[in-house]
Amino acid sequence: MVNSKTFQHALEEISADYRNANFLLAVSGGADSMVLLHLFKSTDLTLQVAHINYKLRGSDSDEDQKLVQEFCKKHTIPFHLYQVSEKDNQPKNSIQDWARTIRYDFFRKIQQDQKLDFIVTAHHLNDQLETFIINLSKASGIKGLSGIPANENKILRPLLGFSKQEIYDFAKENKIEFREDLSNQKNDYLRNKIRNEIVPHLLKVNENFLENFGKSISYLNQSKNFIEEQISGIEKEIIIHQEDYLIMKKDLFFNQSNFVRFEILRKYGFNEGEEIEKIRKAKTGKNFISSEYQLTIDRKILILKKIADEIETEDKEEIILTLNDENQILIPDLVLSEIKELGKMEWKFDAEKILFPLKLRRKKDGDLFFPIGMIGKKKISKFFKDEKIPILAQQKIWLLCDGEDRILGVLPLRQDRRFVASKESPEIIKVKS
C-alpha cells in the first residue's frame, strides 16, 4: 500500500516548482480525481475545480456531479460546472473524441476567464499503459510511445507515476469518498477493451509489469528528449526561418535518414511515410497540404507556409493605381522593393487601348497574357516555368491589370504586346522601376 508521504512528495514537487501558480483541477468524481483533489486541498496551492456532466449515465452522472460540487462547497473551493445539452450535438459514434473536445474547450475557457496558470488532470500509470498500447497499434513513433506527457501545453499530470491500485489504496487509507464509473467495465471503446481484456493478462505475466513499464516510459521519454535535441540541431542546418515562411534546403533534407525526415516533417503535419516519399519524388511547383501547412516544391528548396497566412495574404493583395502629372503609373514603394531583385522595367502603353482603373494583383489560376517577343498567348504559370522563375520569386511578382482585369504585364519581367505604345499613339502611359 502506498502511504500518504509518497503521494505528498509528488505534490511537494509541484508546490516547489509552481509556488505562486493558480490551478484548475479537472475532477470527475472517480477515485483518481478525488485523490488529486484531496492532495491539492491539503496544500497551500490556489485551486479551482471544473466538472463535466455528460448526461450519459442518467442519475449516476448527477450523483458524480453532486459529490464533487458538495466537496467544493464544504471546503470553499470555486466550482465550475458544464452540463451537456442538445446543443452539444452528441454523435452516435466517436463519443470519446466528442467528450474530450467538450472537456478541454471548457477547461481552456475557464483557464482564460479566471486567468489560471495550469490545468491539472488525474491521469495515472494505467492510463499511460493503455495509451502506449493504443499508440503502438497506430505506428505513432517514439513521441506516441512516450505516452502522456507530465507537463505539456499548461497541463500538469502529477499522478502519472502511480498505478490505479495505488490510488484506490490511498483513497481507502485516507477515507476519501469517490464514485465508480461502471461504464468503464463495458468494452464499447478501444481503450476499455485494452483496459479490461489486455492489461489484466499483462499484469498476470509479471507482477512487476506495471512498475517496469513505468521505468520503460521514463527511458523512452529520456530517449525522446535526446532525439529532439539532435533533430533540433539538424534543423538549424537545413531550415532558414523567414518572416512568413520556412525554407528547407532540399539536398540537405533528403540526405538525412528516413527517421530524421519523418521527425522533421511530422512537426508540420506531414506524418505519413508514403507522403514523405511522394514529396521526395515531386516536381517543381507541386504542393502538399497538411492540416496547417502548405509545402511547395522548388528546384533546390522546400517552402513551408502556414495555410492561414496564405489565405490572409490573398484577401488583401489588390492595389488600385494612380498616375502622376507626367502620365506615369505610380507603383507603391512596397511593391518596388519586392520586385527590385527580379530586374528593371521601362514600359510604355497606348492609353486608348486600356481601361481604367489600373491595378496590381497577384496571379490567379488560369491567368494568361500575350508576352512581347513571343508568338501567341501563354499562361502565366507556363511563363514562370519557361523562364525558370523560382517559386519564392513567383510569390513576389505582381500583375499589372486594367479595368477589365486584362493583364498589361508581369512586373518587372514582361509586358503584354497588345497594349504597347507605338509612335502613332496619341497618348502614352509609362511605368518604370
Side-chain angles (χ1 to χ4, degrees), residues 16-43:
D17 294 338
Y18 310 103
R19 187 176 304 278
N20 298 316
N22 298 312
F23 300 90
L24 177 67
L25 272 61
V27 183
S28 66
D32 47 7
S33 65
M34 292 305 293
V35 165
L36 181 71
L37 180 54
H38 174 90
L39 290 167
F40 263 78
K41 185 256 176 189
S42 67
T43 69

Side-chain angles (χ1 to χ4, degrees), residues 286-318:
K286 176 72 175 177
N287 291 316
F288 294 85
I289 306 294
S290 71
S291 59
E292 293 186 54
Y293 282 86
Q294 173 178 295
L295 184 151
T296 303
I297 310 295
D298 204 353
R299 288 172 176 79
K300 295 183 178 181
I301 59 175
L302 305 175
I303 304 160
L304 282 158
K305 189 169 186 179
K306 275 203 168 183
I307 294 173
D309 294 342
E310 186 71 25
I311 294 172
E312 181 182 348
T313 301
E314 288 177 358
D315 289 343
K316 65 183 180 182
E317 289 188 347
E318 184 171 299

Side-chain angles (χ1 to χ4, degrees), residues 47-74:
L47 68 141
Q48 299 186 29
V49 166
H51 177 82
I52 312 278
N53 187 338
Y54 295 104
K55 301 290 186 177
L56 293 173
R57 296 181 292 115
S59 60
D60 280 344
S61 294
D62 295 333
E63 289 298 320
D64 293 349
Q65 173 187 324
K66 181 180 178 182
L67 172 65
V68 179
Q69 196 164 8
E70 288 185 349
F71 183 97
C72 292
K73 183 178 180 180
K74 178 181 178 181

Side-chain angles (χ1 to χ4, degrees), residues 184-209:
N184 287 333
Q185 298 176 12
K186 298 178 181 180
N187 292 333
D188 298 344
Y189 309 114
L190 175 60
R191 182 174 290 274
N192 283 10
K193 289 178 181 178
I194 292 171
R195 176 181 301 145
N196 299 326
E197 296 181 1
I198 297 176
V199 171
H201 287 291
L202 294 175
L203 300 182
K204 286 180 182 178
V205 170
N206 182 344
E207 63 180 11
N208 296 320
F209 183 90

